[in-house]
Amino acid sequence: MSFDVRSADLNAINTATKYPSIQTYHELGERGALTEVVTQFTGPVIGTEKVDGSNARVISLPDGNWLLGSREELLYAKGDLIGNPAQGIVAGLRSFAESLEPVTDVVRVHYLELYGGKITAASKQYTSEHAVGYRLFDVVELRDYDAILTRSLSEISSWRESGGQPFLTEADLTAVAARDRVELTPRLFEFDAAELPRDIESMREFLAEHLPVTRCRLDEGGAGKPEGIVLRTRNRSVIAKARVEDYERTLRRRGRAAPAGAAVHGSR
């Protein structure tokens, strides 16, 4: 299949490569409070740190070109003289995009969290010197891209949100990160799904135990409070997020304090 970015439908590429919505481990209820309904996992579950930054994409195209995007829009194309400066993505990831080996038969998307600097209000948790970093958290490879990109935008969006994107397995993702010389979001644990907490209070304690401070600080001055943990199966067929703030807010509304050990300490 021949591909030429100059004649391609950029709206279709943007829609097909957006990162899909990820459900919370405990279902969200009214006014952002968590309910006791949990995402069902079976078998081994991997826990990774959820970094509070800007969701970014590096889209490698079969003609040797590449695009940079935020979660919602495309910001820059290889060779552009001017790029959209939104969220610092172009400045932060252009060198990484340039370092990647070109692809010839797939549309490959690296999903990265760009963080630190002045990117989000949580940047102070990672740096006191406005340092900027990025971590890889997922990769998609579209081998049947021609069939996908010729659909209507609504069809592509429905395909994406219903789990159509072929994400790499944990083993393949680890291999890609090593090949492309990029750090993954920290891997915290792997154990059987039966060991996951079922109630909200136990899950808040679980977060405090397994991620008391972020593992992604960019300098010693980062305050260190983590955003949360992403839970995923090895083949990524099930994935859910558990954000510290969601559990703290829910427990406050129930009149319960955060568990001991939830405070952030200065040691790394």
Side-chain angles (χ1 to χ4, degrees):
M1 293 179 288
S2 62
F3 184 95
D4 184 353
V5 68
R6 289 179 293 274
S7 59
D9 185 340
L10 294 180
N11 287 325
I13 293 173
N14 184 44
T15 301
T17 61
K18 287 182 180 180
Y19 198 68
S21 303
I22 300 299
Q23 62 193 349
T24 52
Y25 176 62
H26 279 90
E27 186 178 282
L28 281 173
E30 295 182 2
R31 295 185 299 157
L34 298 171
T35 73
E36 297 292 346
V37 179
V38 300
T39 301
Q40 298 300 319
F41 285 86
T42 58
V45 176
I46 299 163
T48 69
E49 179 171 352
K50 187 178 189 307
V51 182
D52 194 338
S54 179
N55 187 309
R57 296 171 279 167
V58 179
I59 307 164
S60 299
L61 301 170
D63 62 354
N65 284 292
W66 48 262
L67 306 168
L68 293 177
S70 64
R71 187 182 187 101
E72 294 298 328
E73 61 182 332
L74 301 179
L75 304 174
Y76 184 84
K78 177 183 177 182
D80 280 353
L81 296 177
I82 299 173
N84 186 329
Q87 303 169 69
I89 289 172
V90 175
L93 292 176
R94 183 165 52 190
S95 293
F96 172 68
E98 291 172 342
S99 75
L100 296 174
E101 290 293 324
V103 298
T104 58
D105 58 350
V106 299
V107 172
R108 179 180 294 140
V109 191
H110 289 71
Y111 295 97
L112 306 108
E113 200 72 27
L114 184 73
Y115 68 103
K118 297 180 179 179
I119 294 170
T120 70
S123 293
K124 63 185 178 181
Q125 304 301 332
Y126 306 104
T127 177
S128 62
E129 302 172 6
H130 303 303
V132 175
Y134 55 85
R135 294 290 187 116
L136 179 70
F137 59 88
D138 261 317
V139 170
V140 151
E141 290 187 347
L142 302 178
R143 298 192 177 276
D144 56 346
Y145 57 84
D146 194 51
I148 295 167
L149 298 179
T150 53
R151 301 175 187 176
S152 70
L153 296 184
S154 61
E155 288 174 328
I156 296 172
S157 180
S158 177
W159 163 83
R160 182 191 70 228
E161 292 301 317
S162 61
Q165 292 167 311
F167 283 94
L168 296 189
T169 65
E170 178 70 11
D172 289 341
L173 179 61
T174 300
V176 165
R179 182 197 66 201
D180 295 339
R181 300 177 299 279
V182 58
E183 285 190 276
L184 287 168
T185 48
R187 271 48 194 160
L188 307 174
F189 56 77
E190 180 177 347
F191 46 64
D192 190 82
E195 298 180 54
L196 289 176
R198 305 289 296 181
D199 64 88
I200 289 172
E201 195 160 0
S202 295
M203 190 61 187
R204 180 61 188 92
E205 294 171 354
F206 179 90
L207 291 171
E209 175 185 356
H210 291 280
L211 190 63
V213 297
T214 178
R215 297 191 184 184
C216 293
R217 280 197 282 203
L218 297 165
D219 54 62
E220 293 292 339
K225 183 176 180 178
E227 185 186 18
I229 293 176
V230 175
L231 304 166
R232 54 198 294 159
T233 54
R234 289 176 182 171
N235 65 1
R236 204 191 173 285
S237 60
V238 183
I239 183 169
K241 59 189 176 184
R243 298 174 66 248
V244 172
E245 181 182 349
D246 290 340
Y247 288 88
E248 291 180 343
R249 179 176 59 249
T250 300
L251 290 175
R252 282 197 303 270
R253 290 178 179 176
R254 295 181 177 184
R256 301 177 190 175
V264 175
H265 303 289
S267 60
R268 296 190 73 165

